[in-house]
Amino acid sequence: MKEIQKKITNLREQLHQHNHLYYIKDNPVISDFIFDQMLKELQDLEKQYPQFYDPNSPSQRVGGGVTKSFETIVHRYPMYSLSNTYTKEELIQWQTRIRKIVGNEIKMSYTCELKFDGASISLTYENGVLVQALTRGDGIQGDAITTNVKTINTIPLKLKGDFPKFFEIRGEIILPWEGFNKINKKRAEQGEPLFSNPRNTASGSLKLQDSSLLAERPLTCFIYSVIADELLIESQFEALKKAKEWGFKVPDSASLVNSIDEVFEFISKWDKKRKDLPYEIDGIVIKVNQLSLQKELGFTSKAPRWAIAYKFQAEKVATKLEGVHYQVGRTGAITPVASLNPVSISGTIVKRASLHNHDYIQKLGLRVGDTVFVEKGGEIIPKITGVEPKNRPNKSQEVIFINNCPECDFPLVREEGEAQHYCKNEDACPPQQIGKIQHFIGRSAMDIEGLGGETVSLFFNEGLLLNITDLYSLKEEQILPLEGMAQKSVKNLLKGIDKSKEKPFSKVLFGLGIRYVGKTVAKRLAKSFGTIKALIDADIETLTKTHEIGNRIAQSVVEFFSKSQNLEVINKLSLFGLQLEEFTNLSKSKDIFKGRKFVVSGVFKNYNREEIKNEIEILGGIVSSSITSKTDYLVAGIGIGPSKKSKANNLNIPIISEKDYLILKNNGV
């Protein structure tokens, strides 16, 4: 048993080190595949030997804990806000004030740091282990979100080097633009309301009850402060260097300067460069560097005297609000969109801007004809951030949120706790009907070749498609007379529809468009319940007992299957021969391919290509259409293209035959 414990400990230490090299140092020394294999081995051992449980094991990064409520805890050291300034004159005045306290003869330096636009977090470490994570809250007390924070890879669970026995460290949780845009793209595809900005998304993510959902969002954390009763550090800049040595992610942009003129140079530099950053910043934080002087300067009732934030002016332009129209998403979510007099922002012409929801319109106090201020960051749609009332026309018209769906005239509903209004006429509202079919045929669902969103809209408007089941009744003679339809493309389209019947149960389940059931959740449900019948029969209690399924998802699933029209759709899909259960011969198999990335190409003797792809996914693998450096295997059948082989050889990726694949599967390696 001691050997087992030693093995578990060694695996944890190695994985902590590799996490540090990958997320903090940006210098991985092993492949993703090897890392995933080590993690799987650790997870298997921890499951087999629960007596060796460690809350700070690398296995906890994936989340899975569901928190019904967050405990409010008083901060050991208050989390003050910063005083803001928008001009260099005010910065000089700040310097003058602090000089009056410490004296002009004292040599003073400053640290200049980027002001990240995210959510502040306080992390407590004891003996080098993360023991508590608190939100800022009101500065006096915050919510304990330790379980959620453990899913963020840039927050170390165990520290390295020479660190204090007990201390707090503070940072900013942010969501980079790339991750934010991917999340919003996915939500747009699923008919969900878009998130307004990365800051709010990051902040809201930290309070998700299901930590596994947080683990799917690419949050990161930048450290900006170290606090302890006994801290053998003399300056802020030294504290940042030490934090980096202990294993935290500290921005390389932080700079030590010796005069207010150098502060201005730093501000000017980053005001120009901020547009090129992969994340959002809204200013620069200037701190007196010497901790002894910070102690002498102390605090006001609201903020430290020794620090100040210089805020950048947001890039915004003024234009005229021409009107407001409303979009209906696949789920019935109503999104108001402003029509603008075209204006150039960051080199692109902007004609519309998101207004998000009813409350946002009310907050702005919008009227048609208003001069509005428009900003564009990384959002898919720019947003209106303010109104200039002085320029308001005498006969301007108040923007009043609609009461009925703009497409089907059905009364809108706003559920308790929701910011969004919804049209509940899901079976007769055209955009919802079209959106559901478009979702069903999408790449992440049935991936029907030859059928795109525009074609779905055409078929719907022609009366050929009213719901997803109609796809499997389409005939060549119905489609050929339509504009732009050629015989060859129609045959390929029908062939693609027929081939979609081979897609695994998890993809069909995702394709049904159940609210909150994304790709990952669909796979978990398919694997846990095995058949659509078992899922239909499951109640909320049964569902929430399932690994990583929270109450919100469970309620949505039960509600979906309680509707007779949805059950009718499922019955028809079954009659058409779609896969509504996991492959029984594989369902009991272990995740022998977990984390491994495959590309499948060519013609096979014992499988068609879709079957082998489905099998890989059922066994935990990931199937991609293109070869990258992260691909683990190219499964090559007869007639594989030479370009794929060549690329695999150039990247030293193993090329395996159908026979090799079967050996790999049967041996579990």
Side-chain angles (χ1 to χ4, degrees):
M1 194 62 72
K2 284 186 178 180
E3 286 300 312
I4 295 293
Q5 188 176 9
K6 186 178 178 182
K7 189 172 184 179
I8 290 172
T9 301
N10 287 339
L11 277 169
R12 286 170 178 166
E13 293 297 331
Q14 290 179 59
L15 287 165
H16 278 309
Q17 174 64 10
H18 290 305
N19 259 322
H20 176 76
L21 290 169
Y22 187 93
Y23 291 103
I24 308 300
K25 295 289 190 179
D26 294 321
N27 186 32
V29 295
I30 61 172
S31 68
D32 290 351
F33 170 70
I34 294 173
F35 182 93
D36 291 342
Q37 290 297 106
M38 291 171 66
L39 182 60
K40 183 183 183 304
E41 185 181 5
L42 175 61
Q43 289 171 324
D44 290 343
L45 287 170
E46 288 178 336
K47 188 177 181 179
Q48 193 175 351
Y49 302 97
Q51 63 266 42
F52 301 130
Y53 170 77
D54 181 353
N56 289 301
S57 169
S59 61
Q60 300 301 305
R61 293 287 195 193
V62 297
V66 176
T67 306
K68 301 299 182 185
S69 61
F70 297 95
E71 183 185 1
T72 300
I73 297 176
V74 175
H75 290 292
R76 185 181 179 92
Y77 309 98
M79 292 188 73
Y80 291 91
S81 56
L82 289 172
S83 299
N84 294 328
T85 178
Y86 293 88
T87 67
K88 292 180 179 179
E89 289 74 21
E90 289 174 344
L91 266 181
I92 293 172
Q93 291 170 10
W94 169 73
Q95 186 194 42
T96 302
R97 289 196 301 272
I98 62 178
R99 276 293 185 190
K100 282 182 179 178
I101 298 172
V102 302
N104 291 320
E105 71 282 356
I106 300 294
K107 186 177 180 181
M108 187 183 297
S109 58
Y110 306 97
T111 58
C112 296
E113 304 168 38
L114 303 185
K115 187 178 184 299
F116 302 101
D117 198 15
S120 293
I121 192 80
S122 176
L123 307 167
T124 300
Y125 287 81
E126 191 168 359
N127 296 320
V129 174
L130 176 66
V131 294
Q132 183 176 268
L134 299 180
T135 63
R136 183 183 178 277
D138 61 4
I140 303 301
Q141 58 186 12
D143 292 330
I145 54 169
T146 312
T147 300
N148 281 3
V149 157
K150 287 180 178 180
T151 67
I152 301 172
N153 286 297
T154 48
I155 294 177
L157 305 180
K158 294 184 74 175
L159 303 182
K160 304 150 52 81
D162 185 20
F163 43 79
K165 185 176 179 181
F166 183 92
F167 71 100
E168 276 188 28
I169 195 161
R170 291 173 178 173
E172 198 82 358
I173 305 290
I174 65 168
L175 178 61
W177 283 120
E178 183 182 5
F180 174 74
N181 290 333
K182 280 183 180 177
I183 291 171
N184 262 352
K185 184 181 179 183
K186 182 178 178 181
R187 291 180 70 85
E189 289 171 351
Q190 297 181 0
E192 295 287 327
L194 303 185
F195 290 132
S196 59
N197 56 63
R199 184 197 181 281
N200 292 348
T201 310
S203 182
S205 298
L206 293 177
K207 299 296 288 292
L208 288 170
Q209 291 187 333
D210 189 344
S211 62
S212 64
L213 298 178
L214 176 64
E216 294 175 0
R217 297 184 179 178
L219 300 176
T220 193
C221 179
F222 284 121
I223 294 302
Y224 60 74
S225 178
V226 181
I227 307 172
D229 291 337
E230 296 182 10
L231 191 61
L232 302 177
I233 294 173
E234 295 184 353
S235 71
Q236 167 67 10
F237 200 71
E238 185 187 354
L240 294 177
K241 287 174 66 178
K242 285 288 185 183
K244 195 170 185 177
E245 291 173 9
W246 300 335
F248 294 96
K249 194 171 183 69
V250 178
D252 294 329
S253 52
S255 182
L256 177 62
V257 303
N258 295 306
S259 69
I260 202 71
D261 287 335
E262 289 181 17
V263 170
F264 295 154
E265 289 174 11
F266 187 90
I267 291 170
S268 179
K269 171 186 172 182
W270 285 104
D271 194 14
K272 294 173 185 173
K273 291 180 68 174
R274 63 188 171 108
K275 300 182 184 91
D276 300 323
L277 289 170
Y279 38 74
E280 191 171 28
I281 65 169
D282 59 355
I284 301 296
V285 178
I286 303 102
K287 302 174 185 174
V288 173
N289 185 46
Q290 295 92 331
L291 298 187
S292 60
L293 294 181
Q294 288 187 11
K295 189 175 181 180
E296 184 178 347
L297 289 163
F299 300 81
T300 68
S301 59
K302 296 181 179 179
R305 291 190 181 91
W306 43 266
I308 194 167
Y310 179 92
K311 301 292 287 288
F312 293 131
Q313 293 291 337
E315 185 178 6
K316 59 184 178 183
V317 297
T319 189
K320 183 180 177 183
L321 176 65
E322 303 282 2
V324 176
H325 66 276
Y326 298 84
Q327 295 178 340
V328 185
R330 174 177 63 82
T331 62
I334 307 297
T335 302
V337 179
S339 296
L340 304 169
N341 187 31
V343 64
S344 177
I345 307 178
S346 302
T348 59
I349 301 298
V350 174
K351 299 178 181 179
R352 59 183 191 142
S354 174
L355 290 169
H356 303 299
N357 52 54
H358 169 271
D359 293 349
Y360 196 79
I361 293 174
Q362 290 288 100
K363 182 182 176 182
L364 290 170
L366 280 181
R367 301 179 77 90
V368 176
D370 273 344
T371 297
V372 295
F373 298 107
V374 185
E375 293 182 15
K376 186 182 180 187
E379 293 94 337
I380 295 175
I381 303 175
K383 63 180 180 179
I384 293 174
T385 58
V387 178
E388 179 49 82
K390 293 179 182 177
N391 296 342
R392 179 169 284 164
N394 292 328
K395 295 183 179 180
S396 63
Q397 186 179 354
E398 184 183 358
V399 177
I400 299 174
F401 203 91
I402 57 176
N403 294 314
N404 294 68
C405 177
E407 298 287 343
C408 69
D409 204 37
F410 201 80
L412 300 182
V413 174
R414 181 178 180 179
E415 297 173 352
E416 189 178 349
E418 293 269 9
Q420 221 72 22
H421 285 72
Y422 287 87
C423 170
K424 294 292 186 177
N425 188 25
E426 58 181 291
D427 296 311
C429 183
Q432 293 188 64
Q433 291 174 286
I434 293 170
K436 286 177 181 179
I437 302 170
Q438 289 173 335
H439 174 76
F440 185 78
I441 69 163
R443 183 172 293 181
S444 298
M446 307 311 287
D447 193 19
I448 298 177
E449 293 181 24
L451 186 58
E454 291 184 5
T455 306
V456 167
S457 297
L458 172 65
F459 288 1
F460 181 88
N461 293 327
E462 292 291 334
L464 300 181
L465 287 180
L466 294 180
N467 62 47
I468 59 177
T469 63
D470 292 335
L471 285 165
Y472 300 96
S473 301
L474 287 172
K475 306 292 184 201
E476 186 175 335
E477 56 267 27
Q478 294 175 299
I479 304 172
L480 270 175
L482 301 180
E483 187 179 351
M485 293 295 157
Q487 192 166 31
K488 186 177 179 181
S489 62
V490 172
K491 286 185 180 295
N492 288 336
L493 186 153
L494 293 173
K495 186 178 177 182
I497 292 173
D498 191 59
K499 201 168 182 178
S500 72
K501 297 175 183 179
E502 301 169 2
K503 296 292 181 183
F505 174 35
S506 62
K507 287 186 177 287
V508 180
L509 184 59
F510 172 67
L512 292 176
I514 305 170
R515 198 176 181 194
Y516 307 128
V517 177
K519 290 186 294 183
T520 303
V521 171
K523 285 181 179 180
R524 289 170 189 157
L525 290 172
K527 193 169 184 178
S528 298
F529 289 87
T531 68
I532 195 73
K533 185 181 182 307
L535 199 54
I536 292 170
D537 292 340
D539 55 19
I540 290 176
E541 186 180 358
T542 305
L543 285 159
T544 52
K545 286 179 180 176
T546 307
H547 182 55
E548 298 178 352
I549 302 300
N551 195 61
R552 184 180 68 166
I553 296 172
Q555 285 180 331
S556 180
V557 171
V558 170
E559 183 182 350
F560 181 88
F561 290 123
S562 69
K563 297 177 179 177
S564 59
Q565 59 267 37
N566 292 335
L567 296 178
E568 186 180 343
V569 164
I570 289 163
N571 186 51
K572 286 184 178 179
L573 293 178
S574 177
L575 293 173
F576 283 122
L578 274 75
Q579 304 294 327
L580 295 175
E581 62 181 48
E582 290 283 70
F583 294 149
T584 54
N585 62 321
L586 296 173
S587 59
K588 296 180 182 179
S589 302
K590 295 181 180 179
D591 291 334
I592 57 175
F593 292 157
K594 188 174 181 181
R596 299 191 184 188
K597 298 175 178 66
F598 291 77
V599 171
V600 181
S601 185
V603 179
F604 300 91
K605 183 180 178 181
N606 299 302
Y607 299 88
N608 65 45
R609 200 182 309 171
E610 284 303 311
E611 285 175 342
I612 201 167
K613 287 180 179 180
N614 295 343
E615 186 174 272
I616 289 169
E617 289 184 340
I618 290 169
L619 295 172
I622 301 164
V623 180
S624 176
S625 58
S626 58
I627 296 171
T628 69
S629 59
K630 294 186 176 182
T631 303
D632 292 301
Y633 296 103
L634 169 61
V635 186
I638 301 166
I640 184 175
S643 61
K644 275 193 167 66
K645 271 192 170 182
S646 176
K647 191 169 183 180
N649 285 323
N650 290 337
L651 294 171
N652 293 319
I653 292 163
I655 302 173
I656 61 174
S657 65
E658 182 178 1
K659 184 179 178 181
D660 295 329
Y661 167 78
L662 291 170
I663 294 170
L664 194 72
K665 183 186 76 170
N666 294 330
N667 291 343
V669 295

